[in-house]
Amino acid sequence: MSDQAVDKNDVSRRDFLKLLGAGGVALAFTPFIQWGKFMPNPDNSSPQKAQVALSDGTFANVNSFPINHQELITYPSTGDSVLDQEAFRKWNLIRLPEDLGGGVKDVTAFRVYSVICLHLWCMWKYKPVGEIGGNNKGQCPCHGSMYDPVSGKAVAGPASLQAPPSNTLPTLYLEADSLGNLWIKPAVWNVSENGVVGYGRFLKS
């Protein structure tokens, strides 16, 4: 009986070590997996160029959008009011504070980041100085992660402890037309370009 018990313990220990080894291999290859194929990104098709529409039905313009201000926008929009409410289609359009370049009247004054926090997928918001608790950072209400509005990189909280690319928010790139209207350039959903919503992107130097 004792021999059988020892054999069972040996098998159990061996299985545990195999499982541990397999888990280690999976973690080692995690940064190289194309997460966009598995995670609920806004669209699996090739998103198109789109004008930046605000919630009040107007369009964002470099001449009128307030400095040090945020608006929630949708991209890519499907035209379906239900689908367009998905958090993975929502982005924070931020005009930077003046001391960070928000006073100029061109696209460099703006940033657009996914609202999905990279820690546990809560929705964060940009809090300008002047609001209650505002510090000119993106703030997640769930676990206290904070994001730099210039780069989208996590600078505090659990998201800041995650390894790249999971410490930098996915972004959208903008251009302005001759009237100052803002347009979103077509996105490429991978970690080296616009990023993967809910997973992150590599910060370009």
Side-chain angles (χ1 to χ4, degrees), residues 28-174:
F29 284 94
T30 293
F32 306 102
I33 296 172
Q34 294 183 2
W35 289 101
K37 294 180 180 177
F38 307 104
M39 299 182 74
N41 267 278
D43 203 343
N44 291 326
S45 63
S46 298
Q48 303 299 310
K49 180 177 175 180
Q51 193 168 2
V52 180
L54 303 178
S55 58
D56 64 359
T58 62
F59 295 99
N61 186 288
V62 299
N63 299 306
S64 57
F65 196 92
I67 295 171
N68 204 21
H69 179 71
Q70 173 204 296
E71 291 273 347
L72 196 64
I73 64 172
T74 303
Y75 181 84
S77 175
T78 65
D80 183 306
S81 60
V82 175
L83 288 177
D84 285 349
Q85 291 308 307
E86 293 177 353
F88 277 72
R89 293 181 185 274
K90 295 300 182 183
W91 302 79
N92 285 325
L93 169 67
I94 300 167
R95 187 167 193 161
L96 298 170
E98 195 150 7
D99 64 321
L100 295 178
V104 298
K105 292 186 177 181
D106 61 42
V107 293
T108 64
F110 295 84
R111 299 292 187 276
V112 185
Y113 300 118
S114 167
V115 301
I116 303 295
C117 179
L118 297 173
H119 176 50
L120 288 177
W121 291 7
C122 291
M123 293 177 69
W124 65 273
K125 184 180 178 185
Y126 178 70
K127 293 261 191 164
V129 169
E131 281 190 14
I132 296 174
N135 61 354
N136 289 351
K137 298 279 191 300
Q139 299 183 20
C140 181
C142 295
H143 305 101
S145 291
M146 293 191 186
Y147 296 94
D148 174 19
V150 176
S151 66
K153 184 177 180 179
V155 293
S160 68
L161 303 177
Q162 297 174 174
S166 294
N167 63 351
T168 304
L169 293 163
T171 190
L172 298 174
Y173 299 109
L174 300 171

Side-chain angles (χ1 to χ4, degrees), residues 185-205:
K185 295 180 180 181
V188 179
W189 305 125
N190 68 56
V191 293
S192 297
E193 297 296 334
N194 293 85
V196 175
V197 175
Y199 182 60
R201 68 183 163 97
F202 288 112
L203 189 60
K204 296 179 179 179
S205 54

